[in-house]
Amino acid sequence: MTDRLTIATWNINSVRLRMPIVERLLRDHGPDVLCLQETKCPDANFPEGAFRKLGYEHVAINGQKGYHGVAVVSRRPLAEVERRGFCDKGDARHIAVSVPFGGTSLRLHNFYVPAGGDEPDREINEKFGHKLDFMGEMRSWLAGEEARRPAVVVGDLNVAPFEHDVWSHKALLKVVSHTPVETELFEEIRRAGNWIDAMREVVPPTDKLYTWWSYRAKDWDAADKGRRLDHVWLSQPLAGTLRSVAVLREARGWEKPSDHVPVMTVLEG
DNA sequence: ATGACGTGCAACGCACGA
């Protein structure tokens, strides 16, 4: 008897403001687990009751006031909740849970990597330095035991690693999210743990693939100046379980949208 | 290719996003 698990990840840009479209995703697409980033919500104000009513009775949150914040809501029980700090900032950018899968369980890591500010130079922009330091801590940690167990890394990693992960490779080479120092470090982290880039397993590297479109573009759909900032990685023990990955592009056009869209992954095992 | 926008906080503009 094989088990089928659907995991969605979505940078929601304020979970309280966007509950109507969160409910739409859960009702219409029914993922088993939803990982949220940028909840912008203290734990005490997280709309847990609304999720419970929709059948998502298991909630693990790591929030803070005003900024950042991550959460996992699930139809399946969540165990071993871990909130890891990076760069000793005391900010809420990671949460890990264990989810039942295929008679055993998988470890699920939900990340919100720092955006990195405007200037891609750590000498003049402390935020860029923070981003690189954060990624450096991810590299050593995700290369170890986490990579050897059945594990999934999802979230807004704030790097578009490949040429066709941005609308114009040339135009964005000096723009934070697609600079060589970031894209090389990103791939170094992934390769250090032999993590599988699930989205690129199902979409050829020559096809454009985005998960984010700026609020500032007048017609985001027609201009289509997107970037792939949200990611799904699978550890090697989960190789062979990947059935599909879908980017829910239409969600960018929903009422009061986030600037990111959900990415839905189906595993069977 | 930057930013025309959007968020939370406590303003009544600011920091931040990427």
Side-chain angles (χ1 to χ4, degrees), chain A residues 124-144:
Chain A
I124 58 172
N125 172 17
E126 181 269 327
K127 289 181 199 164
F128 194 70
H130 177 215
K131 183 178 196 174
L132 298 182
D133 293 343
F134 189 103
M135 292 173 71
E137 289 184 24
M138 281 176 82
R139 172 180 48 193
S140 41
W141 184 51
L142 291 178

Side-chain angles (χ1 to χ4, degrees), chain A residues 12-13 17-18 21 215 251-259:
Chain A
I12 197 61
N13 187 17
L17 194 65
R18 266 181 254 291
I21 59 170
Y215 281 125
R252 185 63 179 79
W254 289 353
E255 187 86 4
K256 286 202 54 98
S258 169
D259 45 357

Side-chain angles (χ1 to χ4, degrees), chain A residues 1-3 76 99-106 269:
Chain A
M1 195 57 192
T2 64
D3 188 20
R76 301 189 184 192
V99 184
F101 175 60
T104 169
S105 79
L106 61 74

Side-chain angles (χ1 to χ4, degrees), chain A residues 139-189:
Chain A
R139 172 180 48 193
S140 41
W141 184 51
L142 291 178
E145 193 196 336
E146 297 306 321
R148 292 190 288 273
R149 62 201 290 196
V152 181
V153 170
V154 303
D156 178 2
L157 304 187
N158 266 320
V159 177
F162 304 135
E163 181 175 345
H164 295 294
D165 293 336
V166 293
W167 63 275
S168 168
H169 174 62
K170 200 177 164 191
L172 290 170
L173 271 171
K174 292 179 177 169
V175 174
V176 172
S177 73
H178 193 62
T179 65
V181 61
E182 291 168 89
T183 59
E184 282 161 22
L185 178 52
F186 186 92
E187 279 297 283
E188 218 179 288
I189 299 168

